[in-house]
Amino acid sequence: MQVERDTVVSLRIELYDAQGAALSAPSEVSYVHGGYGGLLEALERALEGKLPGETVRLQLDPEEAFGQYAASLLAGAPAARYGEGTTVGMQVEEDSRIYRVTDAAAGKLVLDANHPLAGMALRFVCEVLAVRNADAEEIRQGVSLPQA
């Protein structure tokens, strides 16, 4: 069966920066294909019509992946607002937005709401592991599915 709308696609994904350095360990994901938001649109387009066993290699510019880095998504906050133990790498909520703490010094935090991969050109290697028809509940949910 080929990748098409309303199929559940299982992939092995490798992610690299534009210079070819690995950004994470390879992972396996499953998603409902067809614009439900479980996978980047550009990756879905590239996978359309593929069969199990086929591999897609694709480089995406920031606009096709996680967007350009926006300095407007940086904020500062007093560390005391979040209590003791707030450290770099943690996520906090501020003004109805989720931020990562990217720096902590002198009682102040630097908060960043950009996606960690914003502003980066990314290389993907996606191997199609399996394709099957999605059931009604999977289509209704239309989100990334947990691995069994």
Side-chain angles (χ1 to χ4, degrees):
M1 170 175 261
Q2 71 180 18
V3 175
E4 60 188 24
R5 183 171 179 78
D6 296 337
T7 57
V8 174
V9 181
S10 296
L11 300 173
R12 179 177 188 273
I13 298 178
E14 298 174 25
L15 179 60
Y16 302 90
D17 68 14
Q19 291 72 41
L23 295 175
S24 63
S27 61
E28 290 186 13
V29 299
S30 293
Y31 74 99
V32 179
H33 189 84
Y36 295 103
L39 201 65
L40 294 171
E41 289 179 28
L43 286 177
E44 279 205 25
R45 284 192 304 272
L47 289 163
E48 186 76 25
K50 299 298 185 238
L51 297 167
E54 290 189 78
T55 298
V56 170
R57 297 173 190 282
L58 184 66
Q59 180 163 325
L60 300 180
D61 290 328
E63 297 80 15
E64 298 173 291
F66 297 100
Q68 290 292 347
Y69 188 86
S72 62
L73 295 178
L74 289 174
R81 181 179 298 165
Y82 300 102
E84 284 189 43
T86 304
T87 59
V88 172
M90 291 179 70
Q91 290 185 340
V92 298
E93 186 172 348
E94 177 77 21
D95 299 324
S96 300
R97 201 175 251 163
I98 302 295
Y99 289 87
R100 279 178 302 111
V101 177
T102 58
D103 195 13
K108 297 186 191 245
L109 302 175
V110 176
L111 308 175
D112 188 347
N114 285 286
H115 187 282
L117 299 175
M120 296 178 67
L122 301 170
R123 293 181 184 175
F124 291 86
V125 178
C126 301
E127 179 187 359
V128 179
L129 301 175
V131 181
R132 65 171 174 79
N133 288 320
D135 64 32
E137 180 63 17
E138 290 167 328
I139 292 169
R140 188 187 68 73
Q141 290 179 3
V143 296
S144 295
L145 305 170
Q147 288 292 303

